[in-house]
Amino acid sequence: MTPRMPPALLVAAAAAYACNVALGTAVAVRLIDTSRFRWLHHALYTTTCVLSGCALSALLATGDRGARQTASVLAPAAVPLAMVPFVDARSPRHPLVALAAAPFFAAAVVRSRKEVG
């Protein structure tokens, strides 16, 4: 039995999400000032959403039971990702809503690496 590698789209979606969280955190604690390139955070958010949708679609399209289970673990991340643009970025709820997707990304990557049995 060898461990499976996570699908590339899933890894890319999780990486884009992690980069966006890192950028948002750095701005929140004033390590970085993005006032001149605020679009970067929005571009990373859009990239995260697109890659997550593509990863979800690809996982479901494989027909593999393990991939479908991984998709079911990733799917709930869509809820906080869909909500975050409607929460004021300056409110304390914005990072909380955004971080609500983290467990689903992490669990999907871990789930996709489970051994084939």
Side-chain angles (χ1 to χ4, degrees):
M1 285 190 261
T2 59
R4 294 187 336 191
M5 294 300 296
L9 283 170
L10 176 58
V11 172
Y17 175 77
C19 288
N20 206 13
V21 167
L23 179 62
T25 301
V27 169
V29 297
R30 301 181 197 274
L31 287 176
I32 306 173
D33 176 18
T34 60
S35 59
R36 298 189 79 204
F37 51 97
R38 191 162 293 158
W39 59 268
L40 181 59
H41 194 53
H42 301 141
L44 280 171
Y45 167 76
T46 302
T47 301
T48 300
C49 291
V50 169
L51 286 171
S52 298
C54 290
L56 197 54
S57 296
L59 288 166
L60 290 171
T62 65
D64 175 49
R65 181 178 169 192
R68 286 194 313 269
Q69 289 174 343
T70 300
S72 70
V73 172
L74 178 62
V79 174
L81 288 178
M83 289 174 52
V84 79
F86 299 101
V87 180
D88 181 18
R90 290 175 184 81
S91 79
R93 291 185 323 162
H94 186 83
L96 294 176
V97 171
L99 287 172
F104 303 110
F105 280 104
V109 171
V110 168
R111 170 67 186 90
S112 71
R113 289 187 51 88
K114 286 209 178 221
E115 291 189 35
V116 178

